[in-house]
């Protein structure tokens, strides 16, 4: 049986024990939940019975309060409390009836009938207390018959509660017994299951796995140390230990074979070392340029002898190729391009022979063409040197003329720039004057508005003065009436007549003052009206000044714009002339450099021709006597001065200048 099967068996056994314990646990939890639910149901019924008893006692206490009340008003709160308690009792009895078991149905029916009687009697007591008074309620309820009825009803409640308490004790005993049963069952299953699994696991680990592995490990250690006489145990087993023993047996067989091969390899290693020593000497000599060394030895081993022959043949082939190449390169260094590699080569040396011979032929052809080209270049360099000298003289003359033109344009540009700055300053000053005129016009408009407000205030004051005049007139009239009435009163009205006279005089003075004020206000209104007209005329004059300043500002702005455009045009002209001067100076310098370079080129062409003449080729190429015509070979190129002259013409805006620049003859450049 395989070790994996044995371990699976152990795992299966422990899993079975675990399943048994889990099953008992699930059964115990289910039963305990059922009993716990029944216990809670009985406890709830007991609680409802006790609470019903407390409500009955509460009704009795409230009824006694109602008996002892002085009148209907004081008995009313007790009646309301009794009614509320009766309602709670009715709801509690209904809830209790829903959970009463079948065995208590008959006894609970008596309890329900007693509650109906209790409720009817107490409801009547409340009605009497609320309608006829506490005395009637006391007569109806405070007697021995009522108390006996109430005690009998509470006795019925106690019987039902006692029955529930007995059921609760029985259920508690059953739950305790069931808990002990489950505990001991799980304990027994755990002891026997876990103990059996532990014993089987110890047996499987020690006798079936760890013991054989330790013995097999000891045998493997002896084999690793080179003791191939050690025996391999458990090689006949049918499990993984047997497979490991079979593998170790293979290692033992391979070790014996390796030991045998090691003895045979020792002699071959000595011959190989001798070959490597000789081969190293030959390779080192070849690396230093000596291809005359050879191995020249046989060891009686085909592979070693073949390597020695190949090395000697390789060095011989390299020596032949290098020697022939060395000979051809020596001829090339002597200037002889007619030599070539001779012999029969293979592989890379055959490609080297082809490349070297092709190179020599290419050099022959190239040197012939170079010799002919050198002669032609020498002639052309001489002509080019002469033309460059002439061009240099004309360029210097043109540079001097352009320098004078550039100086004159610099002075003109400076003058125009100064004029532009003055025009800009004038524009700024006119703009400030325009702003001042605009501000003055705003001030005049504000003054006109202020005058209008003063005129309006004068009219309002005149209206107020009219009102004062009317008040003085009415006061004078009242004083006159008061004097008449005082005269009618005789001696009794003399004092009042004096007061009326004083009031009349005050009214007359007020009327006179109001008349004077009205006259002054009229004159003030006329003066204000005149001031308004003058201010309006001033505003019209300032508006005219503002319009004229605006037109002057526009004219000066146009002049400033024209000056800026003129300054810009002159700056572009100045820049173009300066650029032309700079380009001309550069052309002069370049012409001088070109002349010097052409002279040097002519000398170098002569030296190159002498060097090329040193090489010997099969056919000497004759120097070509036909040169290209001067007009085609040295065609004049358009000068940059044309472009600069056109820019000057565009800057001044003259078409005739641009046309003259385009048609000017610059062919000498």
């Amino acid at each position: 049986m395989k070790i994996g099967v044995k371990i699976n068996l152990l795992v299966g056994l422990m899993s079975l024990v675990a399943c048994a314990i889990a099953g008992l646990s699930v059964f115990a939890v289910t039963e305990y939940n059922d009993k716990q639910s029944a216990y809670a149901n009985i406890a709830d019924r007991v609680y409802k019975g006790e609470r019903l008893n407390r409500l009955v006692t509460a009704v009795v206490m409230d009824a006694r309060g109602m008996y002892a009340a002085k009148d209907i008003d004081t008995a009313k709160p007790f009646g309301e409390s009794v009614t509320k308690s009766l309602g709670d009792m009715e709801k509690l009895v209904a809830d209790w009836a829903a959970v009463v078991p079948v065995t208590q149905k008959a006894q609970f029916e008596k309890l329900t009938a007693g509650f109906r009687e209790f409720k009817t009697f107490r409801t009547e007591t409340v009605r009497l207390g609320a309608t006829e008074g506490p005395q009637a309620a006391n007569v109806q309820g405070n007697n021995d018959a009522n108390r006996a009825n109430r005690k009998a009803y509470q006795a019925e409640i106690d019987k039902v509660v006692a029955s529930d308490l007995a059921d609760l004790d029985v259920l508690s005993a059953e739950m305790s017994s069931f808990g002990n049963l489950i505990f001991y069952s799980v304990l027994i299953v755990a002891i026997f299951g876990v103990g059996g699994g532990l014993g089987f696991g110890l047996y499987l680990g020690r006798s079936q796995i760890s013991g054989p592995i330790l013995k097999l490990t000891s045998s493997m250690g002896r084999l690793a140390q080179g003791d191939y006489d050690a025996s391999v145990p458990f090689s006949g087993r049918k499990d993984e230990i047997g497979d490991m023993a079979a593998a170790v047996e293979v290692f033992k067989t391979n070790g014996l074979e390796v030991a045998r091969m090691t003895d045979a390899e020792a002699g071959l290693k000595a011959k190989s070392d001798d070959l490597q020593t000789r081969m190293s000497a030959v390779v080192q000599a070849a690396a230093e340029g000596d291809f005359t060394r050879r191995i020249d030895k046989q060891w009686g081993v085909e592979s070693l002898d073949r390597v020695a022959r190949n090395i000697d043949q390789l060095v011989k082939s390299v020596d032949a190729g290098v020697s022939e190449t060395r000979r051809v390169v020596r001829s090339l260094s002597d200037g002889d391009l007619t030599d070539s590699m001779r012999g029969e080569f293979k592989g890379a040396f055959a490609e080297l022979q082809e490349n070297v011979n092709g190179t020599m032929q290419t050099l022959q052809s190239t040197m012939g063409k170079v010799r002919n080209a050198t002669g032609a270049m020498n002639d052309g360099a001489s002509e080019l040197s002469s033309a460059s000298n002439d061009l240099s003289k004309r360029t210097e003359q043109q540079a001097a003329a352009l320098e004078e033109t550039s100086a004159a344009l610099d002075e003109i540009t400076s003058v125009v720039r100064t004029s532009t700055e003055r025009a800009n300053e004038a524009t700024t000053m006119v703009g400030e004057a325009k702003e001042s005129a605009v501000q003055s016009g705003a001030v005049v408009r504000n003054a006109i508005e202020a005058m209008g407000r003063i005129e309006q205030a004068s009219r309002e004051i005149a209206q107020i003065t009219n009102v004062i005049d009317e008040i003085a007139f009415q006061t004078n009239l009242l004083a006159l009436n008061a004097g008449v009435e005082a005269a009618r009163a005789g001696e009794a009205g003399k004092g009042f007549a004096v007061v009326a006279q004083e009031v009349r005089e005050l009214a007359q003075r007020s009327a006179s003052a109001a008349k004077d004020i009205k006259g002054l206000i009229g004159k003030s209104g006329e003066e204000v009206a005149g001031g308004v007209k003058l201010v309006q005329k001033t505003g019209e004059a300032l508006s005219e000044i503002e319009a004229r300043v605006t037109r002057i500002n526009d004219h000066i702005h146009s002049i400033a714009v024209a000056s800026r455009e003129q300054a810009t045009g002159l700056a572009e002209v100045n820049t173009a002339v300066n650029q032309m001067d700079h380009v001309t100076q550069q052309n002069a310098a370049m012409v001088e450099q070109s002349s010097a370079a052409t002279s040097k080129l002519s000398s170098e062409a002569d030296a190159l021709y002498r060097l090329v003449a040193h090489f010997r080729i099969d056919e000497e190429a004759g120097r070509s006597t036909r040169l290209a015509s001067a007009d085609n070979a040295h065609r004049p190129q358009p000068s940059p001065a044309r472009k600069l002259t056109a820019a000057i013409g565009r800057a001044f805006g003259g078409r005739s200048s641009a046309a003259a620049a385009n048609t000017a003859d610059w062919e000498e450049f």
Side-chain angles (χ1 to χ4, degrees):
M1 184 182 294
K2 296 288 186 180
I3 294 177
V5 177
K6 296 176 182 178
I7 293 175
N8 290 333
L9 182 61
L10 175 62
V11 173
L13 177 62
M14 299 305 294
S15 299
L16 183 62
V17 173
C19 290
I21 294 174
L24 287 173
S25 300
V26 172
F27 173 72
V29 170
T30 303
E31 289 295 322
Y32 183 78
N33 287 335
D34 293 340
K35 293 182 180 298
Q36 184 68 26
S37 177
Y39 188 89
N41 189 10
I42 296 173
D44 183 61
R45 297 203 304 272
V46 172
Y47 168 75
K48 285 180 171 58
E50 295 295 335
R51 187 163 183 272
L52 185 60
N53 258 328
R54 286 197 298 272
L55 290 174
V56 171
T57 303
V59 169
V60 172
M61 296 303 295
D62 290 333
R64 289 177 180 176
M66 187 168 52
Y67 300 156
K70 296 179 180 181
D71 51 19
I72 295 175
D73 293 333
T74 56
K76 185 177 180 181
F78 294 102
E80 293 175 354
S81 180
V82 169
T83 303
K84 180 178 181 303
S85 298
L86 290 174
D88 294 339
M89 289 176 63
E90 185 176 10
K91 183 176 182 302
L92 182 61
V93 170
D95 294 340
W96 193 358
V99 296
V100 170
V102 179
T103 57
Q104 292 182 354
K105 288 291 184 182
Q107 192 173 2
F108 194 78
E109 288 295 334
K110 295 179 181 180
L111 186 147
T112 304
F115 167 70
R116 287 194 291 269
E117 294 177 0
F118 183 80
K119 179 179 179 182
T120 301
F121 184 83
R122 293 300 174 180
T123 302
E124 180 64 18
T125 302
V126 171
R127 188 190 67 80
L128 292 174
T131 56
E132 298 180 8
Q135 185 64 32
N138 185 24
V139 173
Q140 188 263 347
N142 191 9
N143 52 63
D144 293 336
N146 182 27
R147 283 190 285 274
N149 186 19
R150 187 258 305 169
K151 291 180 180 178
Y153 176 59
Q154 286 187 319
E156 293 294 333
I157 295 174
D158 292 338
K159 288 180 183 179
V160 176
V161 172
S163 177
D164 290 334
L165 289 175
D167 292 341
L168 194 63
D169 293 336
V170 172
L171 185 59
S172 298
E174 290 179 356
M175 290 177 66
S176 177
S177 175
F178 178 75
N180 293 331
L181 176 63
I182 293 300
F183 173 75
Y184 289 113
S185 299
V186 172
L187 180 63
I188 292 172
V189 171
I191 290 173
F192 284 101
V194 175
L198 180 61
F200 181 69
L202 291 174
Y203 166 74
L204 181 63
R206 297 188 63 180
S207 64
Q208 298 295 319
I209 299 176
S210 63
I213 289 177
L214 290 174
K215 292 181 180 180
L216 189 59
T217 302
S218 177
S219 178
M220 291 171 65
R222 294 177 61 187
L223 289 175
Q225 294 175 0
D227 184 9
Y228 296 107
D229 295 333
S231 61
V232 180
F234 307 109
S235 58
R237 288 182 58 157
K238 301 300 182 182
D239 55 4
E240 288 82 354
I241 302 297
D243 296 338
M244 292 172 62
V248 173
E249 188 69 32
V250 173
F251 292 155
K252 178 180 178 181
T253 303
N254 292 337
L256 293 174
E257 183 64 22
V258 168
R260 185 187 64 77
M261 293 175 63
T262 301
D263 295 336
E265 188 180 359
L268 181 62
K269 187 175 183 301
K271 296 179 181 180
S272 176
D273 292 341
D274 187 18
L275 173 62
Q276 290 181 4
T277 301
R278 290 176 175 272
M279 186 167 48
S280 177
V282 172
V283 171
Q284 185 175 1
E288 294 174 355
D290 183 9
F291 294 98
T292 60
R293 295 286 298 273
R294 301 290 186 273
I295 295 178
D296 290 337
K297 186 177 179 180
Q298 301 292 325
W299 287 275
V301 180
E302 179 60 26
S303 59
L304 299 180
D305 295 342
R306 184 169 59 253
V307 171
R309 289 194 301 270
N310 292 336
I311 292 297
D312 290 342
Q313 183 65 32
L314 174 62
V315 174
K316 182 178 179 181
S317 299
V318 172
D319 187 20
V322 170
S323 298
E324 190 65 18
T325 304
R326 194 165 55 234
R327 183 184 60 79
V328 173
V329 172
R330 187 183 303 111
S331 299
L332 179 61
S333 65
D334 294 337
D336 185 6
L337 301 179
T338 61
D339 202 355
S340 63
M341 289 182 65
R342 294 182 292 273
E344 295 181 0
F345 297 97
K346 296 180 180 179
F349 286 104
E351 185 178 356
L352 177 63
Q353 180 185 18
E354 182 180 354
N355 293 338
V356 169
N357 293 338
T359 301
M360 297 300 289
Q361 292 176 3
T362 303
L363 282 175
Q364 288 182 19
S365 176
T366 302
M367 293 308 296
K369 294 179 181 179
V370 169
R371 181 179 296 177
N372 296 331
T374 302
M377 184 172 60
N378 192 7
D379 297 338
S382 298
E383 295 178 0
L384 183 61
S385 177
S386 177
S388 297
N389 291 329
D390 295 337
L391 180 60
S392 176
K393 293 177 181 179
R394 290 194 295 271
T395 304
E396 290 176 356
Q397 295 174 358
Q398 184 184 7
L402 284 174
E403 186 175 2
E404 295 177 358
T405 303
S406 177
L409 283 175
D410 286 336
E411 295 179 359
I412 296 172
T413 302
S414 177
V415 172
V416 172
R417 187 181 298 111
T418 303
S419 300
T420 303
E421 292 176 356
R422 297 296 180 269
N424 290 330
E425 292 176 359
T427 301
T428 303
M429 294 174 65
V430 171
E432 293 175 355
K434 178 182 177 181
E435 292 178 357
S436 298
V438 172
Q439 293 176 358
S440 300
V443 170
V444 170
R445 284 191 292 272
N446 292 332
I448 292 173
E449 293 177 357
M451 289 294 181
R453 289 193 296 272
I454 293 172
E455 185 178 6
Q456 180 66 27
S458 298
R459 286 194 294 269
E460 292 176 356
I461 293 172
Q463 293 175 0
I464 294 171
T465 305
N466 291 330
V467 173
I468 294 172
D469 193 10
E470 292 176 0
I471 293 171
F473 176 75
Q474 294 294 331
T475 304
N476 189 16
L477 184 61
L478 291 174
L480 181 61
N481 292 331
V484 172
E485 293 296 330
R488 289 179 181 177
E491 292 294 331
K494 288 183 178 180
F496 186 73
V498 174
V499 174
Q501 183 65 28
E502 294 294 330
V503 171
R504 185 178 179 185
E505 291 178 357
L506 288 175
Q508 289 177 352
R509 286 198 298 271
S510 297
S512 178
K515 184 177 182 182
D516 294 339
I517 293 171
K518 186 175 182 180
L520 292 175
I521 291 173
K523 292 180 180 180
S524 175
E526 292 175 356
E527 295 296 332
V528 169
V532 169
K533 292 179 180 179
L534 292 176
V535 171
Q536 288 177 349
K537 291 180 179 180
T538 303
E540 292 174 357
L542 285 174
S543 299
E544 183 65 22
I545 292 171
E546 181 181 356
R548 292 180 181 275
V549 169
T550 301
R551 289 196 294 273
I552 293 171
N553 184 28
D554 294 338
H555 291 313
I556 293 178
H557 180 69
S558 300
I559 294 171
V561 171
S563 297
R564 283 196 296 271
E565 292 178 354
Q566 185 177 8
T568 303
L570 286 174
E572 292 179 356
V573 171
N574 192 13
T575 302
V577 172
N578 288 332
Q579 184 178 1
M580 190 191 313
D581 185 17
H582 182 66
V583 171
T584 304
Q585 296 292 341
Q586 289 181 343
N587 288 341
M590 290 176 62
V591 167
E592 291 178 0
Q593 294 176 0
S594 176
S595 178
T598 304
S599 299
K600 186 178 180 181
L601 178 62
S602 179
S603 300
E604 294 294 334
D606 290 337
L608 180 61
Y609 186 80
R610 288 193 297 272
L611 289 174
V612 172
H614 173 71
F615 291 95
R616 182 167 62 86
I617 57 179
D618 289 342
E619 296 179 357
E620 294 291 342
R623 177 180 297 177
S624 176
T625 58
R626 292 179 301 172
L627 297 175
S629 139
D631 293 336
N632 293 328
H634 304 287
R635 179 174 297 171
Q637 301 296 326
S639 172
R642 287 187 178 182
K643 183 177 180 181
L644 296 177
T645 305
I648 294 172
R650 286 194 300 272
F652 281 107
R655 296 184 177 178
S656 59
S657 299
N662 289 331
T663 58
D665 187 7
W666 294 90
E667 293 298 330
E668 65 267 17
F669 289 98

